[in-house]
Every structure is written in C-alpha cells, then in structure tokens.
C-alpha cells in the first residue's frame, strides 16, 4: 500500500515525497513535527511482508540499527506500524550509494578510496564493540554524501555476536556472494572477521572498479572465494602501491586467523597510508627510475 503524499503517520510524521524503492521497502521523505527534521520512512512492501523471513529481517533492522549511534552509520530514530504495515524512521541521507558512484565513475583514486574505508572501518569497529555483525557490507549498502562522508546502512541481516558463536552452525548462509567470507560458505557463523573480509573486497572494488571474482553462476563465485586468494589489485591497476596491496591482502586473507583481528587494526593501517602520501604511490626500482622501465 503506497503512502499518499501528505499522509500523517503516528501523528508525528508528514509524508512529503516518495524517494525510492528496493527489494524490501518503499522509501519516503517526511517531516518530523517534533524535531522539525527531514527524515526518511521505510515502509515494508505488502507483498514482501507475506514472507515471515522478510518480515523478521525488516524488524531486525529496526531493533538492531536503532541501538547504534555513530556518524558513519545510518541512524534509526523510530519504528512502528502504519495500518498494520511495519515502518522504520531513518535519518535522511542525501547521497548516492557507493554502487551508484562506481557505476558512474568505474573506480576511485587511492586517496578517496582510503578515506571512504577509514570511515567504514570506524563504523564496523563501533558495531562490533556493540556485539553486532553487519553481515552484508558492500557498496550497495553504503551511502556516499557530497561532502565525502559515508553512512553504512541496511542492517536487515545483521545479528548479535554470541559468546559461543565459534561452536554454532548458522541456520542459513546469507549475504552477497561477491563479498562472502570463505568461512561463511563453509558453514561457520558470521563474525567481525567476516565483515572485515567484505570490507576488504569493497576496498578492492573501489580501487579497481570490479569485484575479485565474478561469474554468472554464484556457486562458482563462492568456490573461488574458498579456494583462491583475492588477486592483487596490481592486476588491474599496475601503479597500485605495495602498501595498499598488503592492506587488501590482509583484509581478504582466506583464513580469518590471518586476517585483521579487528576492524580497528584495519582502520589503523589505513590511517597510516594517509599520513604519508608516498605510501599510496608505486615505488619504482632503481633501474626503472634511471632508464624509465615499467
């Protein structure tokens, strides 16, 4: 049931425009009478809510994301039901997703990509410290604002970290195959390390304009993540520095034991790259410098 422009929800929010739709929900711009702020309302689609799994994911996003308050995470202000249909009230984010940006620009320069990732790893560290694993980190779920700020959204399949998670088996393997950590496909539960892997793949994509493994058959993509190392970005951008190459390799190590232990560790290495611009440049050998070899 689409909302009509001018509709009043919970005697607090006036709908002013329809701004988008996705696989799960319709999104509307609205005004909050109390705070006077412009906000976004996500209303689950009626056809989608007939599936109890979809309904649970939507409600999951409302409750888990509402507990987080970080400048690089889309803030959830409220949630409820309107004429029996669940909705979520988010902060209004005026920007494209990173997926939209990549579709238009193909790839991003190192400095810009690293700046984005510093913010993303900060958001992930905050979520992990609050015992929440996102489970679906990818450019489609990251908003990119005109001032360069990013906002991580869509906590629909996120979950809390269990103390005994290492011994648990997940009921279902979910997430986007192009960013899915190898251990998830092997049946291990999601963890901070699996979010770090997805973030590492995201960095690879931001810099090269492509995901490490791509195939029309998702099973082949999953198998590649399990069996193969993520290729060096130098394969696609020869002038990528060794330092950036090392960071991507560590973030996307097949074994989660060899990966960054925390998002903070990943974040700190990215910050070091920005503190010395030379670290973002390819270092040429003595002969390359003298004779102009590539």
């Amino acid at each position: 049931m689409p909302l009509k422009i001018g509709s009043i929800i919970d005697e607090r929010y006036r709908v002013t425009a329809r701004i988008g739709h996705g696989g799960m929900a319709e999104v509307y711009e609205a005004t909050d009478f109390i705070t006077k702020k412009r906000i976004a309302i996500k209303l689950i689609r009626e056809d989608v809510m007939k599936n109890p799994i979809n309904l649970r994911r939507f409600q999951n996003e409302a409750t888990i994301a509402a507990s987080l308050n970080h400048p690089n995470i889309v803030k959830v202000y409220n949630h409820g039901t309107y004429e029996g249909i669940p909705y979520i009230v988010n902060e209004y984010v005026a920007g494209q997703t990173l997926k939209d940006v990549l579709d238009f620009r193909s790839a991003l320069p190192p400095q810009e990509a690293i700046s984005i990732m510093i913010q993303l790893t900060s958001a992930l560290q905050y979520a992990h410290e609050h015992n929440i694993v996102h489970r679906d980190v990818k450019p489609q779920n990251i908003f990119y604002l005109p001032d360069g700020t990013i906002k991580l959204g869509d906590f629909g399949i996120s979950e809390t970290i269990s103390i005994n998670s290492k011994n648990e088996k997940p009921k279902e393997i979910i997430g986007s195959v192009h960013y899915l950590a190898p251990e998830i496909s092997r049946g291990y539960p999601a963890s901070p390390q699996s979010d770090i892997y997805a973030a590492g793949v995201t960095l690879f994509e931001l810099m090269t304009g492509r995901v490490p493994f791509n195939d029309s058959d998702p099973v082949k993509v999953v198998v590649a993540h399990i069996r193969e190392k993520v290729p060096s970005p130098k394969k696609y951008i020869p002038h990528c520095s060794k330092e950036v190459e090392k960071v991507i390799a560590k973030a996307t190590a097949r074994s989660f034991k060899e990966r960054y232990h925390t998002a903070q560790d990943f974040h700190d290495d990215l910050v070091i790259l920005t503190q010395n611009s030379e670290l973002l440049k390819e270092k040429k050998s003595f002969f390359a410098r003298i004779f102009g070899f590539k």
Side-chain angles (χ1 to χ4, degrees):
M1 174 196 67
L3 290 178
K4 293 181 180 178
I5 305 305
S7 297
I8 307 296
I9 297 178
D10 278 355
E11 300 181 350
R12 178 171 180 176
Y13 310 109
R14 180 190 294 276
V15 177
T16 55
R18 180 176 179 271
I19 55 178
H21 68 279
M24 288 279 289
E26 301 286 341
V27 185
Y28 298 85
E29 178 184 334
T31 300
D32 185 336
F33 291 147
I34 295 178
T35 65
K36 309 301 181 185
K37 287 182 177 180
R38 182 165 59 162
I39 50 91
I41 295 178
K42 290 175 66 174
L43 190 78
I44 191 170
R45 288 172 25 202
E46 285 187 270
D47 59 322
V48 170
M49 68 179 289
K50 292 177 181 178
N51 184 327
I53 294 177
N54 292 332
L55 185 59
R56 186 177 73 243
R57 289 181 184 173
F58 192 81
Q59 293 168 334
N60 188 59
E61 178 175 10
T63 54
I64 287 185
S67 68
L68 300 175
N69 186 16
H70 187 277
N72 299 120
I73 294 176
V74 176
K75 180 62 182 170
V76 171
Y77 295 127
N78 198 2
H79 57 90
T81 58
Y82 177 73
E83 297 185 359
I85 301 177
Y87 69 84
I88 300 172
V89 179
N90 289 335
E91 69 173 301
Y92 184 85
V93 181
Q96 298 177 301
T97 68
L98 279 179
K99 174 60 176 172
D100 295 330
V101 173
L102 287 172
D103 285 345
F104 181 71
R105 296 173 57 189
S106 296
L108 304 181
Q111 294 88 342
E112 187 175 359
I114 298 300
S115 174
I116 288 169
M117 292 303 303
I118 286 173
Q119 297 176 72
L120 176 59
T121 50
S122 177
L124 289 176
Q125 179 63 22
Y126 176 87
H128 297 161
E129 287 174 350
H130 288 75
N131 294 317
I132 293 171
V133 179
H134 187 280
R135 299 178 78 199
D136 203 16
V137 176
K138 58 183 179 181
Q140 291 92 324
N141 290 334
I142 301 166
F143 291 95
Y144 195 28
L145 280 60
D147 67 357
T149 301
I150 68 105
K151 298 269 187 180
L152 176 62
D154 200 342
F155 282 73
I157 63 172
S158 61
E159 64 181 16
T160 54
I161 303 170
S162 169
I163 295 175
N164 299 314
S165 63
K166 294 296 183 184
N167 299 319
E168 293 177 357
K169 290 288 183 180
K171 295 179 181 177
E172 56 183 338
I173 296 174
I174 52 178
S176 302
V177 293
H178 295 99
Y179 309 87
L180 204 62
E183 66 271 13
I184 302 296
S185 300
R186 291 195 182 104
Y188 287 90
S191 68
Q193 280 70 40
S194 54
D195 274 354
I196 289 168
Y197 185 92
V201 173
T202 296
L203 175 55
F204 181 96
E205 185 176 6
L206 291 179
M207 295 194 62
T208 66
R210 64 189 72 205
V211 289
F213 307 112
N214 202 5
D215 195 283
S216 57
D217 182 353
V219 173
K220 290 183 179 179
V221 176
V222 169
V223 171
H225 278 287
I226 292 174
R227 294 182 177 176
E228 301 176 30
K229 287 184 178 180
V230 167
S232 166
K234 281 181 171 289
K235 180 178 179 181
Y236 305 106
I237 44 172
H239 297 298
C240 177
S241 76
K242 284 192 174 295
E243 284 71 18
V244 173
E245 183 183 29
K246 289 176 184 176
V247 167
I248 291 176
K250 188 166 184 178
T252 59
R254 280 181 295 174
S255 168
F256 60 82
K257 294 180 181 178
E258 296 175 6
R259 228 170 281 155
Y260 285 109
H261 182 64
T262 67
Q264 187 64 50
D265 294 338
F266 190 178
H267 175 274
D268 291 346
D269 275 1
L270 292 167
V271 170
I272 290 172
L273 292 178
T274 66
Q275 291 173 341
N276 183 351
S277 60
E278 292 300 313
L279 297 178
L280 294 177
K281 299 176 182 177
E282 180 193 25
K283 289 186 174 64
K284 295 185 177 181
S285 68
F286 172 79
F287 289 103
R289 293 196 304 271
I290 298 300
F291 300 106
F293 296 156
K294 292 184 177 180

